[in-house]
Each structure stands twice: as C-alpha cells, then as structure tokens.
Amino acid sequence: EIRKTGEQFELTPAVIRGVESQGMICSDDELGVSDRNYQEEDGILILNRIFPNLGVGLNVEDVLGFEKDYIIHTAPTANRGDQMSVIGIARELSALFNSPLNMPNVDLSLNDKKYNNFKVEIIDNDVCKYYSIGILKNISIKPSPDWIQKRLISAGMRAINNVVDITNYVMLEFGTPLHAFDYDKLNKYLCVRRADEGEKIITLDGVERILTKDSVLIATKESPVCLGGVFGGANSEIDENSRNLALEGAYFPPATTRRSGRSVGYRSEASARYERGVDIGAVKYGLLRAVELLKKYADAEFEGIVITGSDELDKNDITLRFSQIKRILGCEIDSEKCLNILENLGFTILGKNESACKVRVPSYRADDVSRECDLIEEIARINGYDKITPTLPNKSNPAEISAMERIISKIHNIMLSCGLNEIQTSSLIGVPLLKQFNMNL
C-alpha cells in the first residue's frame, strides 16, 4: 500500500473499538482515482452510492475500471541515451524477441506548414544544433485524459494539466524533451545563447538563479525565459489564462547541457536525457506528436512551425567483416542472423557480400556506435552473452625467473640469515614522512 505522501507501508491487523480488523478502507486518493471527482463521505468512497446496481464480492479493479497493466523498471547506462524513452526500450525488445516495432503515427506533413510571424535564431552555435517552435492558438487548459495521467503517474511524474502532461508524455514516449511557452509573453522572438556572467533568471520553482558563461539560455530580446534543456522560466510560464502556445523542440549537446545544469545546481528529467544524448533526428517527430495530441486534447489550432539550425547528422557508415565476429567473440554467428539483429536495432544495411557488409548508424546511436567492434558488441548483446562458450588461450607460457633475479634473491637470504634487516621504500615517500618513523636519511 502507498500513503498519500507516496511512502510505502505494510498493512497489518489493527484493533478498532475492541475488535481486530484485518482490512483497511481506502480513500479515493489511496486508490488513485481522486481525479474522477467521485462523491465522498469523510474521504471514503461509498461505492453502492456511486454505482447503484453494485453487487457484493466484486473485484474493485473491475468496478472502478482499472486497466491491467505492467510497469517495467529500467536503468539505462550513461552511454545509452536512446534507452531513456518507451520507444527506445521497445526497439530493444523488438530486437531481443525478433518482433516488429510499432511506432506511433506522426503526420510529417505538419512540418511543412511554416509560421512567418515569429523569429527564432541560434546565436551561439556550440550550445544548440537545432531549434524549432510550433505555434498553437486558442488552447483550452484542462485536465488531461485518464490514460495519459495514469501513464505519467506510473512513470513517477505528477499530472498537472493537459499542456504540461502532453509535453511530459511525449518526452517519455520519444525521449525528446519539449517545453511550452506562453506565446503572448514572448513578443514573437526567441534566441539561444550563452548567459552573461552574473545574469539572473527566476525559474518555475520561484528561485532566482545567478548564471555563468556555462549557462545556456532561451531568451527574448528583453530577458531570458528558460534555461535551455534544463528548466523553464517563471516569466513565460503556462497558466490557466494562457490561450496561445509556443512549443519548443530542440537539440542541446550532452556536454553543454551537463555544464549548464551544474552552473545552477539543478538537474531535471529533460537535462537527464540531453546529458546522455537525445536523438536529434527524433526532435521533429516528438514536436509533431505533441502538436497532434494538443489538437485532440487541448482543442489547439496549429498555426505552423519555425525552425533554425539543422537536424541532419553526417552519415556514419561502418564496414563489418563477418570473420571479425568469430575472431573477437570466439564463436560462430550466422551472417544473416547478424544482419537481422542490426536491422531490428534500426541500423541500415547498405550492401553486403559473403565476407562483409556496410552498415549505416541511425541518429539515435550516433553517440555510442562508431567502429566495427561496436557493431559486434551489439550482435553479441542481442544474440546472448550466454551463447559465447568460455575457452582457454591456445598457448600458455609459465613465467620464468631470470638468473639475475635468482642471484639477488640468494644474496638477500644470506644477509637476512646474518641478522641484517631489509627495507624497501617507495620513491614517492618524502623526508617528512620518513622522519615520523625515525628513519632519518
């Protein structure tokens, strides 16, 4: 069971009015249905008043319509930014079980609708490679649908309203952080730049933060409105009066984001993803996916998109020699199976023959796959490390003691037997330390 504070506790029998009770009545909060606004009595749901035809002995999960779902706990390593999303985990499972990957449908034609009444620019190119803003107007701020709220809560995030929840949902789904600005607070202009030393911004938590040259800012011509990839600013926050949105989708390099977050001593869900490496090729998809959800669940009217920078990476093509797989792993893996594993992981096979193939690395693996041995590691990982049979080296030469070492050893033993002491000191130990042990030189 979980308390309202989120703390877990164990149910145990308790004596109430002299009678031992082995059950517990839960409030709507504890059941996770407080958002449904059921009628309560002293914080308790009287179910037969809500559902008049309710019978005794039914399962409360069926009565309240809880979906049967599973939560997978994952712990991605620092080099696997692609695993910081549902799609990234699904892609991995697709390769492990050799099953097709089902991607959400995203209408890419929305990207062709340009908005000309807003300007964005990247002033410092080293802190941002790609920056885009989607303009949505006449939105309705309201609670997001139950299914979005449940998925956010199961992932450890709070449900706030439809706009914030949708940006968080897409971040969890695609791994691409988004940020929503109040369009009417921006004066039709945003830029990405380094902060001036000592510049200040008040973030969404109401804290005034003093910035350094390492801080990356999203700013209007008048003032900063966001710590890029880390934390939004209070002066451009979405509130219940907001009607028009400027929705940000961007790519900030890992090292830049890490330094920027440390410059203010703050780390967020967004910066955790940028630090590991966000897929620059998915930023466009994430933004358009959020646009579609906002149109559906916030009654938004999509006006268009403004883009600066490029989301194209230099092509990384690697030649994989099949003979190297056996040499490095020590076991045979059929070449067709190797190609199938790589294709399931999203790598493109450009060409092949009996001895080798040429593979193109997808954008979401650009940060950690760059060499032939990286491809072999991917194949070994999905094929299963347990299928690699341990073997001993072919030749094993025992260590030999040289004649010089034998002579020195005999001299040491003779001198020790004569009552002398032997001491060997490290050259890194200085005179002050030796004097502490009365070993004056």
Side-chain angles (χ1 to χ4, degrees):
E1 293 296 331
I2 299 178
R3 298 184 193 275
K4 293 180 182 180
T5 59
E7 173 192 359
Q8 289 193 353
F9 68 99
E10 183 179 348
L11 286 177
T12 56
V15 177
I16 302 174
R17 298 188 182 94
V19 178
E20 185 182 87
S21 171
Q22 296 187 350
M24 177 179 176
I25 299 176
C26 296
S27 68
D28 61 347
D29 240 356
E30 291 162 331
L31 289 170
V33 294
S34 59
D35 58 301
R36 301 187 188 182
N37 297 317
Y38 288 139
Q39 186 177 355
E40 299 178 69
E41 185 172 308
D42 294 329
I44 302 301
L45 295 181
I46 310 299
L47 293 178
N48 62 344
R49 294 181 186 174
I50 302 169
F51 309 102
N53 299 321
L54 187 66
V56 175
L58 296 178
N59 190 324
V60 72
E61 292 183 357
D62 297 329
V63 172
L64 295 177
F66 290 134
E67 297 177 10
K68 290 179 170 57
D69 203 354
Y70 299 90
I71 298 173
I72 300 175
H73 291 271
T74 62
T77 53
N79 66 319
R80 294 299 303 272
D82 63 302
Q83 297 290 283
M84 297 285 284
S85 66
V86 172
I87 289 174
I89 297 296
R91 186 182 291 113
E92 194 81 357
L93 293 173
S94 166
L96 284 168
F97 295 105
N98 194 24
S99 178
L101 174 65
N102 296 318
M103 294 286 288
N105 291 322
V106 177
D107 185 3
L108 288 178
S109 66
L110 294 174
N111 200 57
D112 298 328
K113 189 175 182 180
K114 305 305 178 187
Y115 188 78
N116 300 317
N117 200 25
F118 195 99
K119 182 180 179 182
V120 297
E121 62 177 331
I122 299 172
I123 293 176
D124 295 311
N125 292 312
D126 60 323
V127 301
C128 182
K129 304 299 182 187
Y130 176 79
Y131 195 82
S132 59
I133 288 287
I135 309 298
L136 300 108
K137 294 192 173 179
N138 300 319
I139 62 165
S140 300
I141 304 290
K142 55 189 175 182
S144 54
D146 275 359
W147 64 272
I148 289 182
Q149 293 192 38
K150 287 178 182 177
R151 292 185 182 184
L152 289 177
I153 292 167
S154 69
M157 304 186 79
R158 289 188 305 120
I160 297 173
N161 59 46
N162 51 353
V163 174
V164 177
D165 292 354
I166 285 170
T167 59
N168 284 334
Y169 182 85
V170 173
M171 177 181 69
L172 293 174
E173 185 178 42
F174 278 83
T176 55
L178 303 171
H179 183 70
F181 299 98
D182 187 322
Y183 173 90
D184 298 312
K185 298 176 182 177
L186 301 180
N187 201 15
K188 300 180 182 179
Y189 173 84
L190 282 177
C191 69
V192 188
R193 61 173 174 83
R194 289 186 179 276
D196 297 325
E197 198 72 34
E199 194 171 1
K200 297 177 182 178
I201 183 174
I202 298 176
T203 46
L204 287 171
D205 56 358
V207 176
E208 183 179 72
R209 301 180 187 273
I210 300 174
L211 311 175
T212 72
K213 289 284 187 183
D214 286 331
S215 308
V216 178
L217 288 179
I218 314 301
T220 63
K221 291 179 179 178
E222 293 80 24
S223 61
V225 292
C226 180
L227 272 167
V230 180
F231 208 8
N235 56 352
S236 60
E237 180 182 7
I238 297 293
D239 56 41
E240 64 274 6
N241 298 316
S242 298
R243 290 295 172 264
N244 304 311
L245 293 183
L247 185 62
E248 169 195 285
Y251 176 81
F252 303 100
T256 297
T257 306
R258 195 175 298 114
R259 286 193 294 268
S260 183
R262 286 178 181 174
S263 72
V264 294
Y266 189 84
R267 196 165 187 264
S268 62
E269 287 282 352
S271 66
R273 285 162 174 79
Y274 280 122
E275 286 175 11
R276 281 178 166 85
V278 165
D279 175 16
I280 193 171
V283 175
K284 176 195 307 176
Y285 291 85
L287 180 63
L288 298 180
R289 167 72 163 153
V291 165
E292 291 180 341
L293 291 173
L294 287 166
K295 287 169 63 179
K296 187 172 184 180
Y297 297 111
D299 307 318
E301 299 170 9
F302 179 57
E303 297 290 315
I305 194 167
V306 192
I307 299 172
T308 187
S310 173
D311 62 350
E312 295 290 330
L313 293 177
D314 294 336
K315 304 301 183 189
N316 183 11
D317 299 338
I318 303 172
T319 298
L320 173 63
R321 296 163 291 174
F322 299 130
S323 60
Q324 290 295 94
I325 297 174
K326 182 178 180 181
R327 187 186 74 79
I328 292 174
L329 300 181
C331 65
E332 291 274 7
I333 303 177
D334 182 71
S335 60
E336 286 301 319
K337 184 173 185 180
C338 294
L339 296 177
N340 186 51
I341 287 172
L342 292 174
E343 285 183 314
N344 284 344
L345 288 170
F347 293 84
T348 304
I349 310 302
L350 300 175
K352 62 178 181 176
N353 55 34
E354 291 183 358
S355 60
C357 66
K358 179 161 278 192
V359 178
R360 176 161 293 170
V361 179
S363 57
Y364 50 83
R365 298 302 302 277
D367 292 320
D368 72 306
V369 176
S370 58
R371 302 170 298 169
E372 182 181 41
C373 59
D374 294 331
L375 294 177
I376 295 172
E377 181 185 5
E378 293 299 296
I379 292 167
R381 189 168 57 79
I382 300 301
N383 188 59
Y385 291 133
D386 58 316
K387 295 177 183 175
I388 301 175
T389 306
T391 57
L392 292 171
N394 292 332
K395 294 182 180 179
S396 178
N397 295 324
E400 294 184 2
I401 300 175
S402 67
M404 177 67 73
E405 289 171 323
R406 286 198 297 270
I407 292 170
I408 291 173
S409 179
K410 280 187 176 182
I411 292 172
H412 286 179
N413 289 333
I414 290 170
M415 298 184 78
L416 285 169
S417 64
C418 292
L420 299 175
N421 290 323
E422 181 180 20
I423 183 170
Q424 184 175 356
T425 62
S426 170
S427 61
L428 298 178
I429 296 178
V431 173
L433 187 58
L434 292 171
K435 284 183 178 178
Q436 290 183 24
F437 292 89
N438 297 320
M439 297 170 64
N440 297 320
L441 300 179

